[in-house]
Amino acid sequence: NGFWGRWRCCARVFSWIPVLIITSVVLWSYYAYVFELCVFTISNTLEKVAYLLVFHVCFVMFSWTYWKAIFTPPATPCKKFQLSYSDKDRYEREERPDAQKQILVDIAKSLPIFTRATSGAIRFCDRCQVLKPDRSHHCSVCETCVLKMDHHCPWVNNCVGFSNYKFFLLFLSYSMVYCVFISASVFRFFINFWVGDLPNGPAKFHVLFLMFVALMFLVSLMFLLGYHCWLVVQNRSTLEAFSAPVFTTGPDRNGFNVGIRRNLQQVFGDNKRLWFLPICTR
């Protein structure tokens, strides 16, 4: 127990390394853009103010959505999905697997559960001792069952699911906007530095590297955001895209698809004015 306790503690510490990497790159990009490009390189005051204004809007929205994606706790099944003391005692005392399955079936009759395990049995988590609600899965990293679990993302060190999927999508979107704006506004100075029209100095390295990093992240974000937009339109999670949910009638990849408009509302909420803000909506 002592060894595994220390191992879990170390794992929790090391799990923050990807977040620290992203944070370090973003903070460096802030310094490179604001100071090396806008303050030390751009001479036109109006152009400088315009670039700084738009940049800070992009930076604030990126930081806000990233914070929400990281620190919004994953939603877990409510108490009604947990076994009562008497049901748990009856389940543990029963040694026959078929009888245990029947106990879970009887309990699930009073719950809104429509999906099944691949074997056709009621989905039950032995670790959390809960009947799994539809679309929920156990995360071995977070050590809990997560509602509408999409995946565990190391870059936010959190499970992406029901409570923060909107924030995760907005994080990807504003990350892409951040990279697009940096690439577009830096491109002219990148060319000038590259052909030698601007003097050599610290700003040259920062501007050249800023362009390469922004383009590198932009390409990867295009594919990732595009994939998740397709999932939202289809009302699927990443896990469901790889393994179709099983209903009483059998597997069905489109079992939760209720039309594009309602699929979007399930993620972003009914109020369209709040869709692009990292504010909790239902």
Side-chain angles (χ1 to χ4, degrees):
N1 289 335
F3 170 77
W4 288 113
R6 288 192 293 270
W7 170 255
R8 283 195 294 268
C9 183
C10 291
R12 289 194 188 99
V13 172
F14 287 124
S15 66
W16 285 101
I17 290 178
V19 175
L20 291 176
I21 291 173
I22 293 295
T23 304
S24 299
V25 171
V26 172
L27 290 177
W28 164 78
S29 71
Y30 182 90
Y31 166 78
Y33 193 92
V34 172
F35 294 97
E36 295 295 345
L37 178 67
C38 292
V39 175
F40 301 137
T41 304
I42 299 176
S43 56
N44 187 295
T45 303
L46 184 61
E47 184 181 15
K48 185 182 301 187
V49 171
Y51 278 11
L52 285 173
L53 183 62
V54 177
F55 173 82
H56 278 92
V57 171
C58 296
F59 180 81
V60 168
M61 294 308 298
F62 165 83
S63 302
W64 189 7
T65 53
Y66 193 37
W67 176 275
K68 294 287 284 187
I70 294 172
F71 294 107
T72 300
T76 56
C78 60
K79 288 185 178 180
K80 70 179 182 179
F81 290 93
Q82 296 175 353
L83 293 183
S84 65
Y85 180 80
S86 59
D87 288 333
K88 183 178 179 181
D89 183 64
R90 186 158 58 100
Y91 180 81
E92 291 177 345
R93 286 178 181 273
E94 184 57 66
E95 296 180 355
R96 296 169 297 170
D98 290 341
Q100 286 184 324
K101 289 180 181 179
Q102 188 57 46
I103 291 173
L104 296 179
V105 169
D106 294 338
I107 299 170
K109 288 179 180 178
S110 61
L111 297 171
I113 295 177
F114 301 95
T115 55
R116 299 290 186 266
T118 52
S119 63
I122 297 295
R123 301 192 311 135
F124 179 72
C125 181
D126 289 311
R127 294 184 181 181
C128 299
Q129 292 291 294
V130 298
L131 278 74
K132 292 182 180 179
D134 295 339
R135 315 189 80 173
S136 66
H137 297 273
H138 184 87
C139 176
S140 58
V141 180
C142 296
E143 298 180 342
T144 188
C145 284
V146 178
L147 294 182
K148 198 184 176 185
M149 179 177 173
D150 188 88
H151 69 290
H152 186 91
C153 180
W155 299 109
V156 299
N157 191 28
N158 198 2
C159 251
V160 177
F162 178 77
S163 62
N164 65 347
Y165 190 48
K166 174 188 175 182
F167 305 146
F168 178 75
L169 288 173
L170 290 178
F171 158 62
L172 294 181
S173 302
Y174 285 116
S175 297
M176 189 169 167
V177 170
Y178 186 72
C179 291
V180 167
F181 174 73
I182 288 178
S183 302
S185 57
V186 166
F187 182 73
R188 176 165 61 90
F189 302 97
F190 170 83
I191 296 298
N192 289 339
F193 273 122
W194 191 266
V195 299
D197 288 346
L198 292 174
N200 291 326
K204 180 176 182 178
F205 163 78
H206 287 287
V207 170
L208 294 178
F209 199 57
L210 190 61
M211 186 71 184
F212 283 122
V213 172
L215 288 176
M216 180 183 67
F217 277 101
L218 176 59
V219 171
S220 59
L221 284 167
M222 284 174 58
F223 287 104
L224 187 58
L225 179 60
Y227 176 67
H228 277 281
C229 287
W230 177 78
L231 289 177
V232 171
V233 170
Q234 300 292 325
N235 204 343
R236 295 178 195 169
S237 67
T238 299
L239 295 175
E240 290 163 357
F242 284 98
S243 179
V246 179
F247 297 84
T248 53
T249 55
D252 185 1
R253 290 190 182 275
N254 295 313
F256 297 109
N257 191 340
V258 290
I260 294 177
R261 183 176 63 85
R262 291 174 65 190
N263 290 343
L264 290 170
Q265 286 176 337
Q266 284 191 11
V267 175
F268 295 102
D270 295 326
N271 191 345
K272 293 183 180 180
R273 289 176 296 181
L274 300 178
W275 278 17
F276 298 102
L277 294 176
I279 297 171
C280 186
T281 52
R282 289 289 180 266

